[in-house]
Amino acid sequence: MDETPTAQFDAYENDFKHLISSISDKLEGSGKNLLGEQRKAALRKVEIELDEADDIVSQIELELQGIPQSVKAPYVNRLKQAKADLTKYKKLSKELHSQAARSDLLGPFKPGRADSDDPYGERSDRARLLAGAETLNDGSRRIGDSTRIALETENHGADILSTLRGQREQIENSRNMLQSADGSIDRASGTLKGMIRQMYKQRFILSGIGVFFVVLVLFVLYFKLVRH
């Protein structure tokens, strides 16, 4: 298998030409006579093939970089032609998509209706335009409803945020109160400890005084009873 840059270029170019031929047939050949869903399906297939053709053109550009400068000129022209074909069918595909969209909006045109006795029949251009205007009005109403719902949701969200802020403030106030209570409890605990120490100190002093008086009484009794 020939793996030279020019051989790869030719292979990618052949693939591109095959895709372009298929696209051309769907847009300008037999596919042009398709109607309704068949036409839509053909246009969707064209979009896929155009993406594939775009990728192939990118590959062709890469292969062009490896072709020797002495023989590069004709390959540059062939790449330009491929890009021109791709641009042409992309534009044509976009136009046909737009036509299909307008056809869906205004409804199918039936030959001969414009020559009927009633120029404003239900299938006349005026009726189709009115139907299109009504569709646009419905879309506007839906957009208005969506906007109203979004605003209501935003207001509801704002109320929720306001409630959450209030609850956060209450929690912060409660936390501050708890911290103050902890401080008060610590101070009260210190006071109680001081009172307990003072109580033990007073008890020790009273005990010492009691012992002193007992010793004093015993000493007095000793002198009165024994020394006489």
Side-chain angles (χ1 to χ4, degrees):
M1 182 178 178
D2 192 354
E3 295 293 342
T4 62
T6 56
Q8 288 295 315
F9 186 101
D10 292 337
Y12 283 125
E13 186 182 35
N14 288 334
D15 292 339
F16 176 80
K17 288 180 178 179
H18 178 74
L19 279 173
I20 287 296
S21 176
S22 175
I23 292 169
S24 176
D25 182 63
K26 292 181 179 66
L27 296 181
E28 300 175 319
S30 60
K32 192 174 183 180
N33 298 322
L34 297 176
L35 299 174
E37 290 301 321
Q38 291 181 337
R39 184 60 171 162
K40 292 179 182 178
L43 291 176
R44 287 194 294 269
K45 179 63 175 175
V46 165
E47 288 297 317
I48 296 173
E49 291 178 336
L50 283 171
D51 289 338
E52 294 177 2
D54 205 352
D55 292 337
I56 291 175
V57 167
S58 298
Q59 292 296 329
I60 292 174
E61 287 181 315
L62 291 176
E63 296 300 330
L64 182 64
Q65 296 175 7
I67 296 177
Q69 197 68 32
S70 58
V71 296
K72 196 172 187 177
Y75 292 94
V76 171
N77 293 332
R78 287 158 64 177
L79 175 59
K80 289 180 179 179
Q81 183 60 48
K83 288 184 175 180
D85 291 339
L86 182 60
T87 301
K88 169 188 171 182
Y89 287 110
K90 279 185 176 181
K91 182 178 179 180
L92 181 57
S93 174
K94 184 176 180 180
E95 291 174 354
L96 292 177
H97 272 290
S98 298
Q99 290 178 11
R102 286 197 298 271
S103 177
D104 288 341
L105 178 63
L106 300 177
F109 174 74
K110 292 185 178 180
R113 295 294 296 182
D115 296 331
S116 65
D117 293 335
D118 183 8
Y120 302 111
E122 62 178 357
R123 292 298 183 182
S124 67
D125 288 343
R126 181 181 181 186
R128 290 197 297 273
L129 289 173
L130 289 175
E134 182 62 26
T135 301
L136 291 175
N137 289 334
D138 289 339
S140 298
R141 284 194 293 270
R142 286 194 294 269
I143 291 173
D145 292 339
S146 299
T147 302
R148 177 179 53 79
I149 293 172
L151 290 174
E152 291 177 354
T153 303
E154 182 181 358
N155 292 333
H156 185 60
D159 292 339
I160 293 175
L161 288 175
S162 178
T163 301
L164 290 175
R165 282 196 295 269
Q167 292 177 350
R168 185 182 66 181
E169 291 175 357
Q170 291 178 356
I171 292 172
E172 289 178 349
N173 291 334
S174 300
R175 184 181 62 185
N176 293 334
M177 291 177 63
L178 288 174
Q179 290 176 347
S180 299
D182 287 341
S184 299
I185 291 172
D186 290 339
R187 289 193 295 272
S189 177
T191 302
L192 287 174
K193 288 179 181 178
M195 293 174 65
I196 291 172
R197 286 195 298 270
Q198 187 68 23
M199 180 186 68
Y200 280 122
K201 182 179 180 180
Q202 290 176 354
R203 182 179 295 178
F204 178 78
I205 293 172
L206 290 175
S207 297
I209 293 172
V211 170
F212 173 76
F213 278 111
V214 169
V215 171
L216 180 62
V217 169
L218 291 176
F219 186 75
V220 172
L221 290 175
Y222 172 78
F223 273 96
K224 285 187 176 183
L225 297 177
V226 175
R227 299 299 293 261
H228 273 287

PDB file of all heavy atoms in Angstrom, residues 15 171 201:
ATOM      1  N   ASP A  15     -12.505  10.189  -1.205  1.00  0.00           N
ATOM      2  CA  ASP A  15     -13.576  10.077  -0.205  1.00  0.00           C
ATOM      3  C   ASP A  15     -14.415  11.349  -0.169  1.00  0.00           C
ATOM      4  O   ASP A  15     -15.651  11.311  -0.066  1.00  0.00           O
ATOM      5  CB  ASP A  15     -12.976   9.819   1.185  1.00  0.00           C
ATOM      6  CG  ASP A  15     -12.337   8.446   1.285  1.00  0.00           C
ATOM      7  OD1 ASP A  15     -12.684   7.571   0.463  1.00  0.00           O
ATOM      8  OD2 ASP A  15     -11.495   8.252   2.188  1.00  0.00           O
ATOM      9  N   ILE A 171     -29.617  32.339  65.318  1.00  0.00           N
ATOM     10  CA  ILE A 171     -28.625  31.366  65.785  1.00  0.00           C
ATOM     11  C   ILE A 171     -27.404  32.079  66.357  1.00  0.00           C
ATOM     12  O   ILE A 171     -26.858  31.688  67.396  1.00  0.00           O
ATOM     13  CB  ILE A 171     -28.222  30.431  64.622  1.00  0.00           C
ATOM     14  CG1 ILE A 171     -29.411  29.536  64.246  1.00  0.00           C
ATOM     15  CG2 ILE A 171     -27.021  29.575  65.004  1.00  0.00           C
ATOM     16  CD1 ILE A 171     -29.181  28.717  62.999  1.00  0.00           C
ATOM     17  N   LYS A 201     -11.432  27.471 105.457  1.00  0.00           N
ATOM     18  CA  LYS A 201     -10.494  28.244 106.261  1.00  0.00           C
ATOM     19  C   LYS A 201     -11.115  28.631 107.604  1.00  0.00           C
ATOM     20  O   LYS A 201     -10.465  28.513 108.660  1.00  0.00           O
ATOM     21  CB  LYS A 201     -10.093  29.488 105.467  1.00  0.00           C
ATOM     22  CG  LYS A 201      -9.070  30.357 106.182  1.00  0.00           C
ATOM     23  CD  LYS A 201      -8.707  31.553 105.299  1.00  0.00           C
ATOM     24  CE  LYS A 201      -7.680  32.450 105.989  1.00  0.00           C
ATOM     25  NZ  LYS A 201      -7.326  33.626 105.145  1.00  0.00           N
TER      26      LYS A 201
END
